[in-house]
Amino acid sequence: MDDDPAVRSAIAFALETEGFEVATYASAEAALAWAPLSGDACMILDHRLPGMDGLTLLRDLRARGIATPAILITTNPDARLRGLVAQAGAALLEKPLFGNALAATIRSLSAPASSSAP
């Protein structure tokens, strides 16, 4: 989710070319109306949204019991924001997004936890 339609389209296009099925939302409020996904899913949230920011949206979704893996994207995150994103159980990627960093992060969040049992 990004409030800029061009960025939203570019991210969706890049992820679709990587084989992901993509749904986009223009605002946090629109995302809140979304029914929780089942199966493999990952939320991509822009931190700097008008109205409710991406971190607040993520906290709201978590409070509703939505534990879907999440990535918060933003420019120039400070240490405080990095800590808050980690506390919310999400990954943080800094804009601009280069190469396949977003797809690689989605895949790493979606990968089954490896077992340490012998």
Side-chain angles (χ1 to χ4, degrees):
M1 168 191 346
D2 196 291
D3 59 314
D4 181 329
V7 172
R8 207 170 45 247
S9 291
I11 289 172
F13 177 77
L15 292 175
E16 287 167 346
T17 62
E18 289 281 338
F20 294 102
E21 185 176 324
V22 179
T24 63
Y25 303 92
S27 69
E29 293 77 14
L32 284 173
W34 149 77
L37 295 173
S38 60
D40 293 332
C42 183
M43 298 181 285
I44 302 163
L45 310 170
D46 185 14
H47 178 57
R48 292 186 177 107
L49 295 170
M52 182 186 300
D53 67 54
L55 183 58
T56 303
L57 171 61
L58 179 59
R59 288 176 176 156
D60 190 316
L61 293 169
R62 295 292 192 241
R64 294 174 186 214
I66 298 171
T68 302
I71 301 168
L72 191 81
I73 57 175
T74 191
T75 55
N76 302 316
D78 59 19
R80 180 180 172 280
L81 179 60
R82 289 179 185 278
L84 292 171
V85 171
Q87 286 176 351
L92 186 133
L93 284 179
E94 191 167 350
K95 290 180 184 179
L97 304 170
F98 293 110
N100 68 347
L102 186 56
T105 303
I106 292 169
R107 286 188 179 100
S108 72
L109 291 173
S110 302
S114 46
S115 173
S116 58

